[in-house]
């Protein structure tokens, strides 16, 4: 049985709002239309209890055994937190004058090293959303334990 400190390998399928959005299993990615050639599909490997993954995922694998499968729904507070309005900020468009790109809605960027999504661009302002894209979401995982060390 998995306990804190164990090195584990697990496959997973992540559903958000009833739609598969991520998986470690290549066949599932292809079937769901989310396959990326740039990605290596393989079991996720991590040490349980070291905080490498979201809290709810690490808690979910505790007590599981090799070969076991289970589904779990992880609430926002055990995942990426609730969406917060204060994480949405307007900045002057002129701050992008030295950037090597033109800001466009939907673009993901690093702003002072912090990931953000451009949600609005006007003639003089750019609105950035620093919330994680899965903030406020309930995450439904299917977890399959492949190995425990």
């Amino acid at each position: 049985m998995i306990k804190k400190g164990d090195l584990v390998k697990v496959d997973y399928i992540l559903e958000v709002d009833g739609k598969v959005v991520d998986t470690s299993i290549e066949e599932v990615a292809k079937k769901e239309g989310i396959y990326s050639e740039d990605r290596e599909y393989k079991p996720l490997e991590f040490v349980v209890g070291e905080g490498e993954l979201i809290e709810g995922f690490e808690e979910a694998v505790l007590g599981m055994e090799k070969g076991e499968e289970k589904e779990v729904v992880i609430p926002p507070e055990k995942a990426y937190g609730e969406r917060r309005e204060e994480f949405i900020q307007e900045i002057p468009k002129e701050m992008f004058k030295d950037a090597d790109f033109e800001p466009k809605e939907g673009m993901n960027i690093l702003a002072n090293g912090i990931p953000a999504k451009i949600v609005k661009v006007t003639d003089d302002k750019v609105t950035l959303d620093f919330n994680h894209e899965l903030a406020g979401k309930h995450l439904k995982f299917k977890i399959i334990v492949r190995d425990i060390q």
Side-chain angles (χ1 to χ4, degrees), residues 44-45 89 91 110 112 132:
L44 183 62
E45 185 174 320
Q89 299 177 1
I91 61 170
L110 286 176
N112 293 327
H132 188 281

Side-chain angles (χ1 to χ4, degrees), residues 8-98:
V8 298
K9 290 182 182 178
V10 300
D11 273 316
Y12 67 89
I13 301 168
L14 170 59
E15 273 185 45
V16 177
D17 299 329
K19 191 172 146 223
V20 174
V21 297
D22 191 21
T23 182
S24 60
I25 306 167
E26 186 172 344
E27 306 80 61
V28 173
K30 286 178 177 175
K31 180 176 162 262
E32 296 293 335
I34 58 170
Y35 176 76
S36 171
E37 284 186 18
D38 300 338
R39 175 172 175 184
E40 184 179 0
Y41 290 88
K42 63 180 186 178
L44 183 62
E45 185 174 320
F46 66 101
V47 176
V48 179
E50 290 198 347
E52 296 173 52
L53 303 178
I54 58 171
E55 181 182 357
F57 193 94
E58 290 205 10
E59 288 175 357
V61 300
L62 288 171
M64 290 183 74
E65 297 179 0
K66 186 174 179 176
E68 185 178 348
E69 294 183 21
K70 85 171 173 184
E71 287 190 359
V72 60
V73 176
I74 301 172
E77 60 272 14
K78 298 263 184 177
Y80 296 98
E82 296 293 345
R83 287 191 59 75
R84 297 174 51 180
E85 287 304 310
E86 64 265 30
F87 289 176
I88 299 171
Q89 299 177 1
E90 272 188 357
I91 61 170
K93 190 173 183 182
E94 69 184 36
M95 292 183 78
F96 288 89
K97 71 179 183 312
D98 294 330

Side-chain angles (χ1 to χ4, degrees), residues 89-138:
Q89 299 177 1
E90 272 188 357
I91 61 170
K93 190 173 183 182
E94 69 184 36
M95 292 183 78
F96 288 89
K97 71 179 183 312
D98 294 330
D100 58 356
F101 64 91
E102 180 69 26
K104 293 186 178 14
E105 284 182 27
M107 196 179 259
N108 290 307
I109 65 166
L110 286 176
N112 293 327
I114 303 167
K117 183 173 194 159
I118 298 174
V119 291
K120 188 175 179 188
V121 179
T122 65
D123 289 341
D124 59 344
K125 288 190 178 13
V126 175
T127 305
L128 299 176
D129 185 349
F130 290 93
N131 283 289
H132 188 281
E133 65 181 336
L134 296 175
K137 302 283 187 182
H138 284 75

